[in-house]
């Protein structure tokens, strides 16, 4: 199982903002070029980026030239490009200004030390969850998860915790475009079943994923509620299914998560 990484298409974005005099197509293209890179695609050629983004190769070359001059990308052979560490400054500007990121780390460390399991905070970003804070005790997944990692919201505990708090119309729009992928035999892939599960999550106030994303992994999450009543983020704990039962998640770990979520919600009131 790999982190979610969908191709970025320029056409849909261009159609959405067609005719908008304030829309900067050159900036949008530069950002699309940056997003073409991933953990699985660290080195990309101009033609590969063009294929992934839908941007003409001549425009991709100009974007790469500019990004290279600014220190955001580099190339050793003149044909294949890679992101440089300076690109982290773009993400750090956001993470450094987010209260949940600054205050979340010590809370996560307390959660992890209390239950002796890894814990995370994520926000909803489009159809995915985006990890903004992590506290590790051991590696429990085959995929590397760190700050900035993305996973599909529909089959993750933090994703479902946040989706369950969306207004009905907004949730319907997200589910209309979501890809319900069968990651394991346990994954919910039917929309009616998923909607019923999200209704249960909303009623009970937590989401429990039992080996739907990866065999051997269970996780439980609760939403972090903002001042507007929506889920600004979610906090979870992930465990090895062979070692921690569903009952243990509910009896031992859920109360700790609820206490942590309530503490973090005070920052957003």
């Amino acid at each position: 199982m790999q982190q979610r990484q969908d191709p970025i298409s320029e056409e849909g974005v261009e159609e959405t903002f067609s005719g908008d005099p304030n829309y900067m197509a050159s900036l949008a293209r530069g950002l699309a070029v940056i997003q073409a890179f991933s953990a699985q695609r660290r080195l990309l050629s101009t033609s590969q980026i063009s294929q992934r983004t839908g941007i003409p190769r001549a425009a991709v070359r100009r974007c790469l030239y500019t990004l290279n001059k600014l220190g955001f990308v580099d190339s050793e052979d003149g044909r294949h490009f890679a992101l440089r560490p300076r690109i982290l400054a773009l993400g750090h500007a956001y993470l450094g200004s987010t209260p949940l990121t600054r205050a979340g780390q010590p809370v996560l460390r307390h959660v992890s030390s209390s239950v002796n399991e890894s814990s995370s905070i994520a926000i909803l970003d489009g159809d995915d969850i985006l990890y903004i804070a992590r506290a590790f005790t051991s590696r429990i997944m085959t995929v590397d998860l760190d700050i900035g990692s993305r996973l599909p919201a529909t089959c993750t505990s933090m994703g479902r915790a946040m989706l369950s708090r969306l207004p009905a119309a907004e949730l319907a729009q997200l589910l209309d475009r979501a890809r319900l992928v069968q990651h394991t035999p346990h994954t919910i892939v039917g929309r009616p079943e998923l909607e019923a599960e999200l209704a249960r999550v909303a009623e009970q106030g937590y989401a429990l994923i039992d080996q739907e994303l990866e065999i051997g992994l269970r996780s439980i999450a609760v939403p972090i509620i903002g001042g507007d009543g929506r889920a600004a983020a979610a906090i979870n704990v992930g465990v090895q299914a062979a070692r921690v039962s569903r009952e243990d998640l509910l009896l031992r770990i859920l109360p700790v998560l609820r206490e942590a979520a309530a503490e973090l919600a005070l920052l957003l009131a």
Side-chain angles (χ1 to χ4, degrees), residues 15-250:
E15 290 177 4
T16 301
F17 295 99
S18 177
D20 186 343
N22 295 314
Y23 178 75
M24 293 182 62
S26 58
L27 176 59
R29 287 177 170 182
L31 293 174
V33 167
I34 290 172
Q35 293 177 81
F37 295 91
S38 70
Q40 293 77 38
R41 299 177 178 86
R42 299 178 186 274
L43 282 174
L44 291 173
S45 66
T46 299
S47 61
Q48 288 173 325
I49 295 173
S50 178
Q51 291 172 358
R52 286 184 56 76
T53 62
I55 301 172
R57 279 181 292 180
V60 171
R61 281 194 293 270
R62 291 195 297 272
C63 288
L64 290 170
Y65 177 85
T66 303
L67 290 169
N68 175 262
K69 290 297 183 181
L70 294 174
F72 291 117
V73 303
D74 200 3
S75 174
E76 293 185 359
D77 60 7
R79 296 187 302 110
H80 295 87
F81 292 82
L83 297 179
R84 296 188 62 187
R86 189 175 181 183
I87 204 74
L88 295 173
L90 301 178
H92 286 165
Y94 165 74
L95 293 173
S97 64
T98 304
L100 285 176
T101 302
R102 298 196 307 271
Q105 203 60 53
V107 173
L108 283 180
R109 285 196 294 268
H110 173 73
V111 169
S112 291
S113 63
S114 298
V115 301
N116 195 31
E117 304 288 352
S118 298
S119 59
S120 309
I121 295 174
I123 60 172
L124 192 62
D125 186 26
D127 301 343
D128 299 336
I129 62 169
L130 176 67
Y131 284 77
I132 63 171
R134 290 272 283 156
F136 299 93
T137 56
S138 61
R139 182 179 298 276
I140 60 172
M141 299 180 70
T142 58
V143 65
D144 290 330
L145 286 177
D146 208 338
I147 294 174
S149 296
R150 307 174 72 93
L151 289 174
T154 55
C155 60
T156 53
S157 61
M158 288 190 288
R160 288 185 185 171
M162 290 184 281
L163 293 179
S164 71
R165 304 285 300 198
L166 288 178
E170 194 171 332
L171 176 60
Q173 289 179 353
L174 186 146
L175 294 180
D176 283 343
R177 64 176 183 264
R179 295 185 305 163
L180 302 182
V181 178
Q182 186 88 52
H183 295 286
T184 78
H186 306 290
T187 310
I188 296 175
V189 292
R191 178 162 174 172
E193 293 79 7
L194 179 57
E195 289 176 333
E197 177 62 21
L198 291 174
R200 281 191 291 270
V201 171
E203 181 178 358
Q204 64 197 15
Y206 67 87
L208 195 158
I209 294 288
D210 192 351
Q211 304 182 81
E212 289 191 49
L213 186 63
E214 181 178 321
I215 292 295
L217 173 69
R218 290 191 178 112
S219 65
I220 188 168
V222 297
I224 301 170
I225 307 302
D228 58 359
R230 296 170 59 121
I235 182 171
N236 91 330
V237 164
V239 301
Q240 294 173 341
R243 191 168 47 79
V244 181
S245 67
R246 293 173 61 101
E247 292 73 19
D248 199 22
L249 282 176
L250 296 174

